Amino acid sequence: MLLDRKGSVPLYEQIKNIIEQQIKNGELKEGEKIPSERELCEIYDVSRITVRQAIALAENEGLLYRSQGMGTFVAKPKIKQELTRVNTFETSLAQHGFVASTKLLKAEATPNSIYLAKLLDIPISEKIFNLQLMGLGDEEPIVYYNSYFSYDLGQKMHKTALDTSQKNKPFSTLDLYDSQSDVTPTQIEQTYEATVSDESLSDVLKVPQRSPIFSVTSIVYAHDKPIEYREAFYRGDKYKFFITRQLELKN
Amino acid sequence: MLLDRKGSVPLYEQIKNIIEQQIKNGELKEGEKIPSERELCEIYDVSRITVRQAIALAENEGLLYRSQGMGTFVAKPKIKQELTRVNTFETSLAQHGFVASTKLLKAEATPNSIYLAKLLDIPISEKIFNLQLMGLGDEEPIVYYNSYFSYDLGQKMHKTALDTSQKNKPFSTLDLYDSQSDVTPTQIEQTYEATVSDESLSDVLKVPQRSPIFSVTSIVYAHDKPIEYREAFYRGDKYKFFITRQLELKN
């Protein structure tokens, strides 16, 4: 395999790019074991350090995963979520062969803040409700949801979350509204950002610090009234979002 | 200012969170100078190291910027791009007070690959055209575009890019179609991912390695025929995307 040894792209990155192409081309298939470090050194005529850097980078991008004592394998493709349709958490994951589950991390009344009071249109003197969920795929943390509601709605959401958990059904907060007959969301405003994980987020999602994080902030509305403010933090190596848009024809 | 000294959230992260809230609340305004490191040590009763970590984190998230010998200031908010409407590159940046400009980095014929042949529906034997652009805001790199076209269309796009550059007008490839009477894009498929920069991308965008990157992959269609495959890499600390969606009412 020919690497460009005089160019500006480091060797480990070139090797990662080749592995990426092989996965895209179908030469390397999901779940397939890739050659050992020693074999890769021979194939590309590079040092062990370079091979390790290439594998670490590919792992970081979610292309490969290492299994202790077993070797390195081609990972499942990232979970793709359609932006213009709202799928249940379970469906989004099932489409990619992941078994979804949800853990209830925290559910409690919390003092209001100037910021949340404004977003949720609730007087600063009233307490609000904080619900924290962890969405897992094949038992691994995938997304951490941090939601705020009015105290009343939060308590109802908490009860619905407990009921749904007892049935062993995975859910996100959006899914919970379906079981709530009195509140139906009609609109959602979302902001998408690429960030890296800090100490506490790395702890929660069980990833190294400064791992890529896809952060989605949402305000959920029911007929123009904000009912939920939610921060969702998706593991960047596991998730991607997609959209198809018609472009306006210009004259 | 009270920090939680027994909790699991590190002090520097708590301080960063307070600064973030103050910016959101409007207590700290765009362009305003924040207190000096020494003053922050006194305000929060923490060490200089903790204050530096807090500022570094806030800087990394695009909340603050440091100016050599001048102090630390509140940054311009991230550029927000509406997902459901297609704005010109110039308009997106102008809405946030940035002066946009575009640099032509590379324009050349390149051999086809199995992957690109499939995506662009061009026989593998035909060469294709690669156009690389850098989008800048206030002279700083913001987004790196790497586009592939059929050889013929690529040459036309290159010519239009040169003409537009000469008029000192900023542009992305999507903007160039407007000046092309013979090809009009009708649809675009996009994938959004959170990643971190590798060595070559850090070089191009002038950011430290493992900086947050918002990566957008697009296929542009003209009446069901793919005409452009584009990878765009936005600085995560400078850019965010937003969307407003109607939710289907369930029965």
Side-chain angles (χ1 to χ4, degrees), chain A residues 13 78 83 186-188 190 192-193 198 200 210 241 243-245 247, chain B residues 13 78 83 186-188 190 192-193 200 210 241 243-245 247:
Chain A
E13 216 178 301
K78 284 191 190 183
L83 276 180
T186 53
Q187 196 179 320
I188 186 164
Q190 297 192 305
Y192 299 85
E193 286 172 87
D198 55 25
S200 40
R210 297 192 67 79
F241 293 83
I243 193 171
T244 303
R245 296 184 279 169
L247 298 170
Chain B
E13 215 177 301
K78 284 191 190 183
L83 276 180
T186 53
Q187 195 178 322
I188 186 163
Q190 296 192 306
Y192 300 86
E193 286 172 87
S200 40
R210 297 192 66 79
F241 293 82
I243 192 171
T244 303
R245 296 184 278 168
L247 297 171

PDB file of all heavy atoms in Angstrom, chain A residues 13 78 83 186-188 190 192-193 198 200 210 241 243-245 247, chain B residues 13 78 83 186-188 190 192-193 200 210 241 243-245 247:
ATOM      1  N   GLU A  13      -2.424   9.414   9.753  1.00  0.00           N
ATOM      2  CA  GLU A  13      -3.696   9.905   9.239  1.00  0.00           C
ATOM      3  C   GLU A  13      -3.985   9.288   7.876  1.00  0.00           C
ATOM      4  O   GLU A  13      -5.133   8.975   7.549  1.00  0.00           O
ATOM      5  CB  GLU A  13      -3.602  11.419   9.121  1.00  0.00           C
ATOM      6  CG  GLU A  13      -4.907  12.116   9.446  1.00  0.00           C
ATOM      7  CD  GLU A  13      -4.748  13.621   9.367  1.00  0.00           C
ATOM      8  OE1 GLU A  13      -3.898  14.166  10.115  1.00  0.00           O
ATOM      9  OE2 GLU A  13      -5.432  14.238   8.546  1.00  0.00           O
ATOM     10  N   LYS A  78     -22.296   4.708  12.623  1.00  0.00           N
ATOM     11  CA  LYS A  78     -22.938   5.633  13.554  1.00  0.00           C
ATOM     12  C   LYS A  78     -24.454   5.590  13.387  1.00  0.00           C
ATOM     13  O   LYS A  78     -24.954   5.358  12.291  1.00  0.00           O
ATOM     14  CB  LYS A  78     -22.484   7.069  13.257  1.00  0.00           C
ATOM     15  CG  LYS A  78     -21.102   7.397  13.735  1.00  0.00           C
ATOM     16  CD  LYS A  78     -20.866   8.900  13.630  1.00  0.00           C
ATOM     17  CE  LYS A  78     -19.410   9.243  13.861  1.00  0.00           C
ATOM     18  NZ  LYS A  78     -19.190  10.702  13.842  1.00  0.00           N
ATOM     19  N   LEU A  83     -33.495  14.405  10.691  1.00  0.00           N
ATOM     20  CA  LEU A  83     -33.831  15.641  11.403  1.00  0.00           C
ATOM     21  C   LEU A  83     -35.262  16.097  11.172  1.00  0.00           C
ATOM     22  O   LEU A  83     -35.850  16.753  12.006  1.00  0.00           O
ATOM     23  CB  LEU A  83     -32.905  16.768  10.945  1.00  0.00           C
ATOM     24  CG  LEU A  83     -31.572  16.838  11.648  1.00  0.00           C
ATOM     25  CD1 LEU A  83     -30.758  17.991  11.102  1.00  0.00           C
ATOM     26  CD2 LEU A  83     -31.803  17.035  13.128  1.00  0.00           C
ATOM     27  N   THR A 186     -46.279  20.601  20.070  1.00  0.00           N
ATOM     28  CA  THR A 186     -46.643  20.887  18.683  1.00  0.00           C
ATOM     29  C   THR A 186     -45.453  21.386  17.870  1.00  0.00           C
ATOM     30  O   THR A 186     -45.462  21.333  16.658  1.00  0.00           O
ATOM     31  CB  THR A 186     -47.739  21.974  18.617  1.00  0.00           C
ATOM     32  OG1 THR A 186     -47.285  23.104  19.374  1.00  0.00           O
ATOM     33  CG2 THR A 186     -49.041  21.465  19.207  1.00  0.00           C
ATOM     34  N   GLN A 187     -44.417  21.878  18.558  1.00  0.00           N
ATOM     35  CA  GLN A 187     -43.303  22.467  17.831  1.00  0.00           C
ATOM     36  C   GLN A 187     -42.031  22.329  18.651  1.00  0.00           C
ATOM     37  O   GLN A 187     -42.077  22.277  19.878  1.00  0.00           O
ATOM     38  CB  GLN A 187     -43.594  23.950  17.590  1.00  0.00           C
ATOM     39  CG  GLN A 187     -42.721  24.580  16.541  1.00  0.00           C
ATOM     40  CD  GLN A 187     -43.075  26.036  16.329  1.00  0.00           C
ATOM     41  OE1 GLN A 187     -44.234  26.405  16.323  1.00  0.00           O
ATOM     42  NE2 GLN A 187     -42.068  26.873  16.185  1.00  0.00           N
ATOM     43  N   ILE A 188     -40.899  22.279  17.969  1.00  0.00           N
ATOM     44  CA  ILE A 188     -39.635  22.152  18.683  1.00  0.00           C
ATOM     45  C   ILE A 188     -38.589  23.032  17.989  1.00  0.00           C
ATOM     46  O   ILE A 188     -38.534  23.087  16.760  1.00  0.00           O
ATOM     47  CB  ILE A 188     -39.220  20.654  18.774  1.00  0.00           C
ATOM     48  CG1 ILE A 188     -37.990  20.434  19.623  1.00  0.00           C
ATOM     49  CG2 ILE A 188     -39.054  20.031  17.407  1.00  0.00           C
ATOM     50  CD1 ILE A 188     -37.800  18.972  20.026  1.00  0.00           C
ATOM     51  N   GLN A 190     -34.531  23.721  17.818  1.00  0.00           N
ATOM     52  CA  GLN A 190     -33.308  23.044  18.227  1.00  0.00           C
ATOM     53  C   GLN A 190     -32.056  23.733  17.717  1.00  0.00           C
ATOM     54  O   GLN A 190     -32.045  24.278  16.619  1.00  0.00           O
ATOM     55  CB  GLN A 190     -33.310  21.603  17.709  1.00  0.00           C
ATOM     56  CG  GLN A 190     -34.436  20.780  18.289  1.00  0.00           C
ATOM     57  CD  GLN A 190     -34.281  19.310  18.005  1.00  0.00           C
ATOM     58  OE1 GLN A 190     -34.156  18.921  16.855  1.00  0.00           O
ATOM     59  NE2 GLN A 190     -34.294  18.499  19.048  1.00  0.00           N
ATOM     60  N   TYR A 192     -27.883  22.930  17.190  1.00  0.00           N
ATOM     61  CA  TYR A 192     -26.898  21.853  17.108  1.00  0.00           C
ATOM     62  C   TYR A 192     -25.496  22.420  17.215  1.00  0.00           C
ATOM     63  O   TYR A 192     -25.141  23.335  16.486  1.00  0.00           O
ATOM     64  CB  TYR A 192     -27.023  21.115  15.773  1.00  0.00           C
ATOM     65  CG  TYR A 192     -28.372  20.490  15.592  1.00  0.00           C
ATOM     66  CD1 TYR A 192     -29.433  21.215  15.083  1.00  0.00           C
ATOM     67  CD2 TYR A 192     -28.589  19.177  15.979  1.00  0.00           C
ATOM     68  CE1 TYR A 192     -30.686  20.657  14.955  1.00  0.00           C
ATOM     69  CE2 TYR A 192     -29.836  18.604  15.850  1.00  0.00           C
ATOM     70  CZ  TYR A 192     -30.883  19.345  15.338  1.00  0.00           C
ATOM     71  OH  TYR A 192     -32.121  18.787  15.219  1.00  0.00           O
ATOM     72  N   GLU A 193     -24.681  21.848  18.107  1.00  0.00           N
ATOM     73  CA  GLU A 193     -23.312  22.323  18.264  1.00  0.00           C
ATOM     74  C   GLU A 193     -22.344  21.146  18.368  1.00  0.00           C
ATOM     75  O   GLU A 193     -22.686  20.104  18.919  1.00  0.00           O
ATOM     76  CB  GLU A 193     -23.180  23.155  19.538  1.00  0.00           C
ATOM     77  CG  GLU A 193     -23.799  24.521  19.437  1.00  0.00           C
ATOM     78  CD  GLU A 193     -23.817  25.217  20.779  1.00  0.00           C
ATOM     79  OE1 GLU A 193     -22.815  25.876  21.133  1.00  0.00           O
ATOM     80  OE2 GLU A 193     -24.829  25.098  21.480  1.00  0.00           O
ATOM     81  N   ASP A 198     -16.227  17.833  28.806  1.00  0.00           N
ATOM     82  CA  ASP A 198     -15.447  18.270  29.960  1.00  0.00           C
ATOM     83  C   ASP A 198     -15.447  17.120  30.976  1.00  0.00           C
ATOM     84  O   ASP A 198     -15.933  16.026  30.678  1.00  0.00           O
ATOM     85  CB  ASP A 198     -16.006  19.571  30.540  1.00  0.00           C
ATOM     86  CG  ASP A 198     -17.478  19.464  30.879  1.00  0.00           C
ATOM     87  OD1 ASP A 198     -17.960  18.347  31.126  1.00  0.00           O
ATOM     88  OD2 ASP A 198     -18.157  20.497  30.895  1.00  0.00           O
ATOM     89  N   SER A 200     -17.078  16.440  33.846  1.00  0.00           N
ATOM     90  CA  SER A 200     -18.309  15.801  34.338  1.00  0.00           C
ATOM     91  C   SER A 200     -19.042  15.056  33.218  1.00  0.00           C
ATOM     92  O   SER A 200     -19.552  13.965  33.436  1.00  0.00           O
ATOM     93  CB  SER A 200     -19.230  16.813  35.031  1.00  0.00           C
ATOM     94  OG  SER A 200     -19.248  18.036  34.365  1.00  0.00           O
ATOM     95  N   ARG A 210     -12.263  15.504  26.468  1.00  0.00           N
ATOM     96  CA  ARG A 210     -12.104  16.088  25.139  1.00  0.00           C
ATOM     97  C   ARG A 210     -12.502  15.122  24.021  1.00  0.00           C
ATOM     98  O   ARG A 210     -11.928  15.140  22.939  1.00  0.00           O
ATOM     99  CB  ARG A 210     -10.688  16.626  24.903  1.00  0.00           C
ATOM    100  CG  ARG A 210     -10.300  17.769  25.853  1.00  0.00           C
ATOM    101  CD  ARG A 210      -9.022  18.467  25.417  1.00  0.00           C
ATOM    102  NE  ARG A 210      -9.176  19.189  24.179  1.00  0.00           N
ATOM    103  CZ  ARG A 210      -9.751  20.379  24.065  1.00  0.00           C
ATOM    104  NH1 ARG A 210     -10.215  20.984  25.112  1.00  0.00           N
ATOM    105  NH2 ARG A 210      -9.858  20.961  22.891  1.00  0.00           N
ATOM    106  N   PHE A 241     -26.561  13.095  12.398  1.00  0.00           N
ATOM    107  CA  PHE A 241     -27.900  13.536  12.054  1.00  0.00           C
ATOM    108  C   PHE A 241     -27.943  13.798  10.564  1.00  0.00           C
ATOM    109  O   PHE A 241     -26.948  14.203   9.978  1.00  0.00           O
ATOM    110  CB  PHE A 241     -28.245  14.817  12.817  1.00  0.00           C
ATOM    111  CG  PHE A 241     -28.372  14.585  14.292  1.00  0.00           C
ATOM    112  CD1 PHE A 241     -27.249  14.556  15.104  1.00  0.00           C
ATOM    113  CD2 PHE A 241     -29.611  14.362  14.868  1.00  0.00           C
ATOM    114  CE1 PHE A 241     -27.359  14.316  16.468  1.00  0.00           C
ATOM    115  CE2 PHE A 241     -29.725  14.119  16.231  1.00  0.00           C
ATOM    116  CZ  PHE A 241     -28.595  14.101  17.033  1.00  0.00           C
ATOM    117  N   ILE A 243     -30.404  15.233   7.005  1.00  0.00           N
ATOM    118  CA  ILE A 243     -31.555  16.002   6.543  1.00  0.00           C
ATOM    119  C   ILE A 243     -31.533  16.019   5.015  1.00  0.00           C
ATOM    120  O   ILE A 243     -30.475  15.997   4.392  1.00  0.00           O
ATOM    121  CB  ILE A 243     -31.477  17.448   7.116  1.00  0.00           C
ATOM    122  CG1 ILE A 243     -32.784  18.198   6.952  1.00  0.00           C
ATOM    123  CG2 ILE A 243     -30.338  18.239   6.496  1.00  0.00           C
ATOM    124  CD1 ILE A 243     -32.808  19.536   7.711  1.00  0.00           C
ATOM    125  N   THR A 244     -32.678  16.013   4.406  1.00  0.00           N
ATOM    126  CA  THR A 244     -32.789  16.202   2.954  1.00  0.00           C
ATOM    127  C   THR A 244     -33.671  17.422   2.735  1.00  0.00           C
ATOM    128  O   THR A 244     -34.743  17.511   3.308  1.00  0.00           O
ATOM    129  CB  THR A 244     -33.441  14.976   2.288  1.00  0.00           C
ATOM    130  OG1 THR A 244     -32.668  13.833   2.602  1.00  0.00           O
ATOM    131  CG2 THR A 244     -33.500  15.143   0.784  1.00  0.00           C
ATOM    132  N   ARG A 245     -33.153  18.360   1.954  1.00  0.00           N
ATOM    133  CA  ARG A 245     -33.897  19.594   1.745  1.00  0.00           C
ATOM    134  C   ARG A 245     -34.097  19.874   0.281  1.00  0.00           C
ATOM    135  O   ARG A 245     -33.205  19.658  -0.526  1.00  0.00           O
ATOM    136  CB  ARG A 245     -33.107  20.782   2.322  1.00  0.00           C
ATOM    137  CG  ARG A 245     -32.930  20.693   3.792  1.00  0.00           C
ATOM    138  CD  ARG A 245     -32.242  21.924   4.261  1.00  0.00           C
ATOM    139  NE  ARG A 245     -30.808  21.874   4.075  1.00  0.00           N
ATOM    140  CZ  ARG A 245     -30.023  22.920   4.228  1.00  0.00           C
ATOM    141  NH1 ARG A 245     -30.530  24.091   4.505  1.00  0.00           N
ATOM    142  NH2 ARG A 245     -28.729  22.789   4.093  1.00  0.00           N
ATOM    143  N   LEU A 247     -34.226  22.652  -2.488  1.00  0.00           N
ATOM    144  CA  LEU A 247     -33.714  24.012  -2.621  1.00  0.00           C
ATOM    145  C   LEU A 247     -34.705  24.816  -3.442  1.00  0.00           C
ATOM    146  O   LEU A 247     -35.318  24.296  -4.371  1.00  0.00           O
ATOM    147  CB  LEU A 247     -32.338  24.000  -3.301  1.00  0.00           C
ATOM    148  CG  LEU A 247     -31.270  23.240  -2.519  1.00  0.00           C
ATOM    149  CD1 LEU A 247     -30.020  23.064  -3.363  1.00  0.00           C
ATOM    150  CD2 LEU A 247     -30.921  23.982  -1.242  1.00  0.00           C
TER     151      LEU A 247
ATOM    152  N   GLU B  13     -14.884  24.146  36.278  1.00  0.00           N
ATOM    153  CA  GLU B  13     -16.068  23.979  35.451  1.00  0.00           C
ATOM    154  C   GLU B  13     -17.228  24.790  36.027  1.00  0.00           C
ATOM    155  O   GLU B  13     -18.017  25.384  35.277  1.00  0.00           O
ATOM    156  CB  GLU B  13     -16.426  22.499  35.410  1.00  0.00           C
ATOM    157  CG  GLU B  13     -16.981  22.068  34.072  1.00  0.00           C
ATOM    158  CD  GLU B  13     -17.253  20.585  34.059  1.00  0.00           C
ATOM    159  OE1 GLU B  13     -16.299  19.793  34.269  1.00  0.00           O
ATOM    160  OE2 GLU B  13     -18.419  20.210  33.885  1.00  0.00           O
ATOM    161  N   LYS B  78     -21.758  32.567  18.787  1.00  0.00           N
ATOM    162  CA  LYS B  78     -21.507  31.687  17.643  1.00  0.00           C
ATOM    163  C   LYS B  78     -22.414  32.062  16.478  1.00  0.00           C
ATOM    164  O   LYS B  78     -23.531  32.521  16.677  1.00  0.00           O
ATOM    165  CB  LYS B  78     -21.826  30.236  18.021  1.00  0.00           C
ATOM    166  CG  LYS B  78     -20.798  29.572  18.886  1.00  0.00           C
ATOM    167  CD  LYS B  78     -21.097  28.078  18.960  1.00  0.00           C
ATOM    168  CE  LYS B  78     -20.238  27.407  20.003  1.00  0.00           C
ATOM    169  NZ  LYS B  78     -20.465  25.946  20.049  1.00  0.00           N
ATOM    170  N   LEU B  83     -31.188  25.756   9.419  1.00  0.00           N
ATOM    171  CA  LEU B  83     -31.034  24.549   8.604  1.00  0.00           C
ATOM    172  C   LEU B  83     -32.051  24.439   7.482  1.00  0.00           C
ATOM    173  O   LEU B  83     -31.795  23.821   6.464  1.00  0.00           O
ATOM    174  CB  LEU B  83     -31.177  23.306   9.487  1.00  0.00           C
ATOM    175  CG  LEU B  83     -29.915  22.873  10.202  1.00  0.00           C
ATOM    176  CD1 LEU B  83     -30.192  21.634  11.026  1.00  0.00           C
ATOM    177  CD2 LEU B  83     -28.843  22.562   9.166  1.00  0.00           C
ATOM    178  N   THR B 186     -31.345  21.371  -7.053  1.00  0.00           N
ATOM    179  CA  THR B 186     -32.749  21.329  -6.628  1.00  0.00           C
ATOM    180  C   THR B 186     -32.907  20.689  -5.250  1.00  0.00           C
ATOM    181  O   THR B 186     -33.918  20.869  -4.596  1.00  0.00           O
ATOM    182  CB  THR B 186     -33.598  20.518  -7.625  1.00  0.00           C
ATOM    183  OG1 THR B 186     -32.979  19.231  -7.809  1.00  0.00           O
ATOM    184  CG2 THR B 186     -33.679  21.225  -8.959  1.00  0.00           C
ATOM    185  N   GLN B 187     -31.915  19.910  -4.845  1.00  0.00           N
ATOM    186  CA  GLN B 187     -32.064  19.186  -3.585  1.00  0.00           C
ATOM    187  C   GLN B 187     -30.697  18.952  -2.968  1.00  0.00           C
ATOM    188  O   GLN B 187     -29.693  18.866  -3.679  1.00  0.00           O
ATOM    189  CB  GLN B 187     -32.734  17.837  -3.859  1.00  0.00           C
ATOM    190  CG  GLN B 187     -33.255  17.148  -2.627  1.00  0.00           C
ATOM    191  CD  GLN B 187     -33.947  15.845  -2.998  1.00  0.00           C
ATOM    192  OE1 GLN B 187     -34.626  15.769  -4.006  1.00  0.00           O
ATOM    193  NE2 GLN B 187     -33.745  14.828  -2.194  1.00  0.00           N
ATOM    194  N   ILE B 188     -30.653  18.840  -1.642  1.00  0.00           N
ATOM    195  CA  ILE B 188     -29.390  18.612  -0.965  1.00  0.00           C
ATOM    196  C   ILE B 188     -29.616  17.624   0.180  1.00  0.00           C
ATOM    197  O   ILE B 188     -30.612  17.700   0.883  1.00  0.00           O
ATOM    198  CB  ILE B 188     -28.778  19.962  -0.490  1.00  0.00           C
ATOM    199  CG1 ILE B 188     -27.389  19.808   0.085  1.00  0.00           C
ATOM    200  CG2 ILE B 188     -29.685  20.679   0.503  1.00  0.00           C
ATOM    201  CD1 ILE B 188     -26.629  21.133   0.178  1.00  0.00           C
ATOM    202  N   GLN B 190     -27.806  16.121   3.572  1.00  0.00           N
ATOM    203  CA  GLN B 190     -26.689  16.470   4.449  1.00  0.00           C
ATOM    204  C   GLN B 190     -26.617  15.591   5.673  1.00  0.00           C
ATOM    205  O   GLN B 190     -27.638  15.186   6.223  1.00  0.00           O
ATOM    206  CB  GLN B 190     -26.824  17.926   4.895  1.00  0.00           C
ATOM    207  CG  GLN B 190     -26.734  18.892   3.739  1.00  0.00           C
ATOM    208  CD  GLN B 190     -26.586  20.320   4.188  1.00  0.00           C
ATOM    209  OE1 GLN B 190     -27.392  20.800   4.960  1.00  0.00           O
ATOM    210  NE2 GLN B 190     -25.555  20.993   3.709  1.00  0.00           N
ATOM    211  N   TYR B 192     -24.735  15.541   9.524  1.00  0.00           N
ATOM    212  CA  TYR B 192     -24.058  16.383  10.508  1.00  0.00           C
ATOM    213  C   TYR B 192     -23.372  15.524  11.549  1.00  0.00           C
ATOM    214  O   TYR B 192     -23.993  14.651  12.124  1.00  0.00           O
ATOM    215  CB  TYR B 192     -25.078  17.280  11.228  1.00  0.00           C
ATOM    216  CG  TYR B 192     -25.794  18.182  10.280  1.00  0.00           C
ATOM    217  CD1 TYR B 192     -26.930  17.751   9.609  1.00  0.00           C
ATOM    218  CD2 TYR B 192     -25.319  19.449  10.030  1.00  0.00           C
ATOM    219  CE1 TYR B 192     -27.582  18.574   8.706  1.00  0.00           C
ATOM    220  CE2 TYR B 192     -25.960  20.285   9.127  1.00  0.00           C
ATOM    221  CZ  TYR B 192     -27.083  19.834   8.474  1.00  0.00           C
ATOM    222  OH  TYR B 192     -27.717  20.650   7.580  1.00  0.00           O
ATOM    223  N   GLU B 193     -22.092  15.812  11.809  1.00  0.00           N
ATOM    224  CA  GLU B 193     -21.361  15.046  12.810  1.00  0.00           C
ATOM    225  C   GLU B 193     -20.514  15.957  13.679  1.00  0.00           C
ATOM    226  O   GLU B 193     -20.011  16.977  13.219  1.00  0.00           O
ATOM    227  CB  GLU B 193     -20.418  14.046  12.125  1.00  0.00           C
ATOM    228  CG  GLU B 193     -21.128  12.871  11.519  1.00  0.00           C
ATOM    229  CD  GLU B 193     -20.186  12.015  10.677  1.00  0.00           C
ATOM    230  OE1 GLU B 193     -19.546  11.119  11.234  1.00  0.00           O
ATOM    231  OE2 GLU B 193     -20.090  12.281   9.470  1.00  0.00           O
ATOM    232  N   SER B 200      -3.980  17.570  10.141  1.00  0.00           N
ATOM    233  CA  SER B 200      -4.070  18.393   8.935  1.00  0.00           C
ATOM    234  C   SER B 200      -5.216  19.406   9.028  1.00  0.00           C
ATOM    235  O   SER B 200      -5.068  20.551   8.595  1.00  0.00           O
ATOM    236  CB  SER B 200      -4.177  17.532   7.670  1.00  0.00           C
ATOM    237  OG  SER B 200      -5.008  16.442   7.870  1.00  0.00           O
ATOM    238  N   ARG B 210      -7.393  18.297  18.284  1.00  0.00           N
ATOM    239  CA  ARG B 210      -8.544  17.851  19.075  1.00  0.00           C
ATOM    240  C   ARG B 210      -9.468  19.004  19.463  1.00  0.00           C
ATOM    241  O   ARG B 210     -10.083  18.987  20.521  1.00  0.00           O
ATOM    242  CB  ARG B 210      -8.122  17.052  20.323  1.00  0.00           C
ATOM    243  CG  ARG B 210      -7.386  15.752  19.996  1.00  0.00           C
ATOM    244  CD  ARG B 210      -7.240  14.853  21.211  1.00  0.00           C
ATOM    245  NE  ARG B 210      -8.523  14.341  21.698  1.00  0.00           N
ATOM    246  CZ  ARG B 210      -9.190  13.334  21.152  1.00  0.00           C
ATOM    247  NH1 ARG B 210      -8.693  12.689  20.116  1.00  0.00           N
ATOM    248  NH2 ARG B 210     -10.336  12.941  21.646  1.00  0.00           N
ATOM    249  N   PHE B 241     -25.906  25.345  14.393  1.00  0.00           N
ATOM    250  CA  PHE B 241     -26.982  25.246  13.419  1.00  0.00           C
ATOM    251  C   PHE B 241     -28.303  25.176  14.166  1.00  0.00           C
ATOM    252  O   PHE B 241     -28.357  24.630  15.251  1.00  0.00           O
ATOM    253  CB  PHE B 241     -26.803  23.991  12.566  1.00  0.00           C
ATOM    254  CG  PHE B 241     -25.592  24.066  11.686  1.00  0.00           C
ATOM    255  CD1 PHE B 241     -24.336  23.757  12.176  1.00  0.00           C
ATOM    256  CD2 PHE B 241     -25.703  24.473  10.366  1.00  0.00           C
ATOM    257  CE1 PHE B 241     -23.209  23.852  11.376  1.00  0.00           C
ATOM    258  CE2 PHE B 241     -24.580  24.571   9.550  1.00  0.00           C
ATOM    259  CZ  PHE B 241     -23.332  24.262  10.055  1.00  0.00           C
ATOM    260  N   ILE B 243     -32.833  24.729  13.871  1.00  0.00           N
ATOM    261  CA  ILE B 243     -33.968  24.279  13.078  1.00  0.00           C
ATOM    262  C   ILE B 243     -35.226  24.441  13.932  1.00  0.00           C
ATOM    263  O   ILE B 243     -35.168  24.307  15.158  1.00  0.00           O
ATOM    264  CB  ILE B 243     -33.752  22.797  12.651  1.00  0.00           C
ATOM    265  CG1 ILE B 243     -34.748  22.351  11.599  1.00  0.00           C
ATOM    266  CG2 ILE B 243     -33.799  21.866  13.861  1.00  0.00           C
ATOM    267  CD1 ILE B 243     -34.421  20.971  11.017  1.00  0.00           C
ATOM    268  N   THR B 244     -36.327  24.764  13.307  1.00  0.00           N
ATOM    269  CA  THR B 244     -37.625  24.765  13.985  1.00  0.00           C
ATOM    270  C   THR B 244     -38.513  23.788  13.241  1.00  0.00           C
ATOM    271  O   THR B 244     -38.617  23.848  12.020  1.00  0.00           O
ATOM    272  CB  THR B 244     -38.263  26.168  13.969  1.00  0.00           C
ATOM    273  OG1 THR B 244     -37.362  27.072  14.570  1.00  0.00           O
ATOM    274  CG2 THR B 244     -39.570  26.180  14.737  1.00  0.00           C
ATOM    275  N   ARG B 245     -39.115  22.864  13.992  1.00  0.00           N
ATOM    276  CA  ARG B 245     -39.931  21.843  13.340  1.00  0.00           C
ATOM    277  C   ARG B 245     -41.310  21.789  13.955  1.00  0.00           C
ATOM    278  O   ARG B 245     -41.464  21.880  15.163  1.00  0.00           O
ATOM    279  CB  ARG B 245     -39.288  20.460  13.538  1.00  0.00           C
ATOM    280  CG  ARG B 245     -37.969  20.336  12.908  1.00  0.00           C
ATOM    281  CD  ARG B 245     -37.492  18.935  13.091  1.00  0.00           C
ATOM    282  NE  ARG B 245     -36.902  18.717  14.388  1.00  0.00           N
ATOM    283  CZ  ARG B 245     -36.625  17.521  14.869  1.00  0.00           C
ATOM    284  NH1 ARG B 245     -36.952  16.440  14.182  1.00  0.00           N
ATOM    285  NH2 ARG B 245     -36.043  17.385  16.034  1.00  0.00           N
ATOM    286  N   LEU B 247     -44.244  19.435  15.043  1.00  0.00           N
ATOM    287  CA  LEU B 247     -44.375  18.019  15.380  1.00  0.00           C
ATOM    288  C   LEU B 247     -45.743  17.555  14.907  1.00  0.00           C
ATOM    289  O   LEU B 247     -46.723  18.301  14.971  1.00  0.00           O
ATOM    290  CB  LEU B 247     -44.243  17.823  16.889  1.00  0.00           C
ATOM    291  CG  LEU B 247     -42.873  18.222  17.451  1.00  0.00           C
ATOM    292  CD1 LEU B 247     -42.903  18.211  18.959  1.00  0.00           C
ATOM    293  CD2 LEU B 247     -41.796  17.277  16.954  1.00  0.00           C
TER     294      LEU B 247
END
